[in-house]
Amino acid sequence: MPSARSGGRHGRRLKADINVVPYIDVMLVLLIIFMVTAPLITPGQIELPSVGQASDVPVKPLEVQIKSNGDISLRLREPGASYVPIARPELVDQVRSRITADTPVVIAADGKVPYESVVKVMDELRSNGINKLGLLVDQSSSSGKAAAATPKKR
């Protein structure tokens, strides 16, 4: 009696092909499931703060001003306070010497200042332990004067 491998007269050869029909069925079922559920998923939406929603800060913040030419100056946001120009390497030391634990720091940048410069100043302050940071905005819709955005603690 010849074996199946010997290829005898009535012997059968082993089939080495993969049956892919069940895999195609599974793929089509998954495709239908994804097509049905995709319209039901709402994309994530971000609520960006508008300038009209900025609130006044109850404590007088320290303002770090960045001019369009890159010069940095500091002042306490009080009536009659003037800007004191400082060098970039002295920024953290000057800010620490002028604030208390409750004093927020706001950054006011000219509209022509590159975004990268503002982010570098924020990163430098935050990495040195100054966590109450905010950005100064102009509330043109309510009073027309500049007001500070609420600083967030991290």
Side-chain angles (χ1 to χ4, degrees):
M1 179 150 119
S3 70
R5 291 189 178 196
S6 66
R9 207 169 91 175
H10 295 290
R12 295 185 183 199
R13 239 176 149 205
L14 291 177
K15 192 174 186 182
D17 294 337
I18 298 174
N19 189 3
V20 294
V21 174
Y23 299 117
I24 293 173
D25 291 343
V26 170
M27 181 198 61
L28 290 174
V29 169
L30 289 174
L31 178 65
I32 292 170
I33 290 171
F34 289 135
M35 287 174 58
V36 169
T37 58
L40 302 175
I41 300 172
T42 58
Q45 294 182 359
I46 301 171
E47 292 183 26
L48 296 175
S50 68
V51 177
Q53 293 177 349
S55 61
D56 293 330
V57 179
V59 179
K60 302 262 189 267
L62 178 68
E63 182 179 338
V64 177
Q65 184 184 49
I66 306 171
K67 296 182 182 174
S68 60
N69 61 0
D71 292 343
I72 297 177
S73 56
L74 296 175
R75 80 167 178 149
L76 196 59
R77 286 192 55 87
E78 292 180 329
S82 61
Y83 288 100
V84 178
I86 60 164
R88 178 76 182 253
E90 301 172 358
L91 176 65
V92 175
D93 295 332
Q94 289 289 329
V95 168
R96 279 191 179 160
S97 68
R98 295 170 188 244
I99 64 171
T100 63
D102 295 332
T103 307
V105 177
V106 294
I107 298 173
D110 186 77
K112 296 177 183 169
V113 173
Y115 182 69
E116 181 181 11
S117 299
V118 176
V119 171
K120 282 183 179 179
V121 169
M122 287 182 78
D123 184 48
E124 186 176 347
L125 291 172
R126 205 162 263 160
S127 64
N128 285 296
I130 300 166
N131 293 324
K132 287 189 171 185
L133 283 175
L135 295 174
L136 197 68
V137 296
D138 184 20
Q139 288 183 334
S140 58
S141 62
S142 60
S143 63
K145 64 179 182 176
T150 306
K152 294 183 179 179
K153 251 187 176 179
R154 285 197 181 217

